């Protein structure tokens, strides 16, 4: 493992001393957000973790080595290299074996965070069941990863380009708790309301600590999702987002976009169609989730 996993010294020290560490994902830098917003968001997410009293660990694979805690050069590389790999559970091993440089999705970031000993991870939104899944079978590997890897993912639910009711059903089947933080309704990523009720919610972060500890005590395996809505001042109106999504989905279909390219294509089109509105909201919710994840990591460490 010496060559495959490299934990940044600051992260290693924090883990050894039981200080709070928050893992951050890299696919949103390479595939989810355009330059220069992507690098700014990645740096700002790290500083949010620091100001909350945690140590950030952005995760990616650089020339076959899983790097837990990227330096400025690593972040810049992820933000600027075009056609960088988007790694999930299926291709993480071959990326390590072949010396590939790639960004890690939620699934791959969870695997690497667990390997390093990090319990909390922040991102924008997890992947899920795509609309039209009964024909495409396009269901993100993030969901099965959540059912097997014990890391708590703090996010704004699943991206609303997906089939949200089907995603919630699938998570229930897989035994992954979706816990609302001060909300009892699942947000629709860019907007606050999806019409889907969350069966579990908490008001104080300490309650999440208790849920996580109970699940670990029961040796259940698997992770949980702490759902944080987009900050109210940046949340968009649901109807408007819905129209942009319909159009982006129609374009994806027409252009026969499939597989790993679907989510990045849709996010890019939404940003253009909305005149940059969805992009601003996406960045705002990622930063807000980093702040909440830090609160959780601090509470877990204490
Ligand atoms: N959150 C964001 N933007 C993103 C993602 C999350 O705000 O781009 C990424 C995550 O890496 C997630 C991936 O794992 O989107 C889902 O991709 P897919 O639908 O191909 O599984
Ligand atoms: Mn997919």
């Amino acid at each position: 493992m010496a060559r495959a996993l490299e934990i940044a010294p600051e992260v290693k020290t924090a883990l050894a001393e039981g200080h709070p560490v928050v893992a951050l994902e890299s696919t949103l830098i390479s595939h989810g957000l355009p330059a220069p917003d992507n690098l700014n968001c990645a740096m700002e997410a790290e500083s949010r973790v620091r100001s909350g009293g945690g140590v950030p660990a952005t995760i990616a694979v650089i020339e076959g080595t899983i790097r837990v805690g990227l330096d400025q050069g690593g972040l810049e590389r992820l933000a600027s290299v075009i056609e960088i790999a988007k790694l999930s559970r299926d291709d993480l091993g071959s990326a390590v074996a072949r010396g590939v440089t790639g960004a890690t999705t939620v699934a791959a970031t969870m695997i690497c965070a667990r390997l390093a000993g990090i319990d909390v991870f922040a991102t924008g939104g997890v992947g899920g069941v795509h609309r039209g899944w009964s024909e495409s079978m396009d269901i993100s590997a993030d969901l099965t990863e959540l059912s097997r890897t014990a890391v708590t993912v703090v996010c704004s639910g699943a991206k609303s380009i997906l089939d949200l009711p089907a995603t919630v059903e699938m998570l229930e089947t897989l035994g992954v708790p979706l816990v609302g933080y001060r909300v009892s309704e699942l947000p629709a990523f860019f907007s606050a309301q999806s019409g889907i009720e969350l069966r579990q919610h908490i008001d104080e972060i300490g309650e999440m600590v208790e849920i996580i500890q109970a699940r670990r005590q029961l040796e259940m395996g698997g992770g949980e999702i702490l759902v944080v809505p987009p900050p109210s001042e940046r949340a968009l109106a649901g109807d408007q987002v819905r129209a942009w999504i319909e159009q982006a989905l129609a374009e994806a279909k027409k252009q026969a976009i499939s597989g790993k390219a679907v989510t990045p294509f849709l996010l890019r089109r939404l940003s253009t169609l909305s005149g940059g509105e969805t992009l601003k909201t996406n960045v705002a919710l990622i930063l807000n989730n980093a702040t909440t994840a830090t609160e959780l990591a601090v509470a877990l460490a204490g």
Side-chain angles (χ1 to χ4, degrees):
M1 222 53 213
R3 198 179 62 92
L5 178 69
E6 205 176 294
I7 305 176
E10 185 193 15
V11 175
K12 207 180 230 171
T13 306
L15 289 169
E17 294 176 353
H19 292 147
V21 176
V22 175
L24 299 165
E25 185 225 313
S26 49
T27 293
L28 63 86
I29 307 173
S30 61
H31 292 73
L33 303 169
D37 304 79
N38 57 354
L39 180 60
N40 293 336
C41 179
M43 288 166 57
E44 181 64 20
E46 293 211 344
S47 77
R48 290 283 184 105
V49 174
R50 286 189 198 285
S51 54
V55 173
T58 304
I59 295 178
V61 180
I62 308 283
E63 290 166 9
T65 299
I66 294 169
R67 298 272 294 272
V68 175
L70 289 180
D71 56 16
Q72 182 68 18
L75 291 179
E76 282 171 12
R77 189 161 170 183
L78 282 173
S80 61
V81 176
I82 313 167
E83 305 230 341
I84 196 165
K86 173 183 167 187
L87 303 170
S88 187
R89 171 174 278 270
D90 64 330
D91 49 6
L92 182 61
S94 70
V96 169
R98 293 177 181 175
V100 164
T101 294
T104 49
T105 57
V106 168
T109 305
M110 288 181 78
I111 296 169
C112 300
R114 191 64 276 141
L115 196 60
I118 302 173
D119 299 318
V120 180
F121 160 30
T123 187
V126 294
V129 179
H130 281 265
R131 300 186 194 193
W133 56 271
S134 64
E135 274 161 36
S136 65
M137 268 305 276
D138 190 353
I139 298 171
S140 178
D142 293 351
L143 300 185
T144 41
E145 199 59 48
L146 278 155
S147 75
R148 64 201 290 180
T149 300
V151 171
T152 307
V153 181
V154 180
C155 65
S156 302
K159 289 177 280 283
S160 48
I161 53 174
L162 301 163
D163 183 335
L164 288 182
T167 301
V168 169
E169 289 296 339
M170 179 96 193
L171 285 168
E172 185 191 333
T173 302
L174 291 168
V176 178
L178 255 182
V179 182
Y181 185 37
R182 297 179 178 148
V183 283
S184 51
E185 180 178 350
L186 182 73
F189 200 62
F190 303 112
S191 56
Q193 277 107 25
S194 68
I196 301 170
E197 201 183 330
L198 291 167
R199 287 181 299 109
Q200 302 181 58
H201 45 92
I202 58 158
D203 293 320
E204 298 306 326
I205 210 76
E207 296 173 68
M208 192 64 198
V209 172
E210 287 166 4
I211 292 171
I212 294 166
Q213 285 170 346
R215 285 175 46 84
R216 301 295 176 270
Q217 209 172 357
L218 295 170
E219 297 179 18
M220 298 177 85
E224 30 300 296
I225 300 177
L226 182 62
V227 178
V228 182
S232 54
E233 69 279 7
R234 277 267 26 126
L236 301 173
D239 288 345
Q240 192 163 33
V241 179
R242 224 165 290 135
W244 293 325
I245 289 175
E246 296 300 335
Q247 186 173 340
L249 285 166
E251 289 176 14
K253 196 168 180 183
K254 207 165 151 201
Q255 295 180 42
I257 308 289
S258 67
K260 286 184 187 236
V262 173
T263 299
F265 175 88
L266 293 174
L267 292 176
R268 200 161 53 238
R269 286 302 297 148
L270 285 179
S271 174
T272 307
L273 291 169
S274 67
E277 288 300 307
T278 58
L279 173 58
K280 280 190 212 153
T281 305
N282 201 347
V283 169
L285 66 84
I286 290 168
L287 299 180
N288 188 50
N289 295 344
T291 298
T292 306
T294 310
E295 280 175 44
L296 178 61
V298 167
L300 268 171

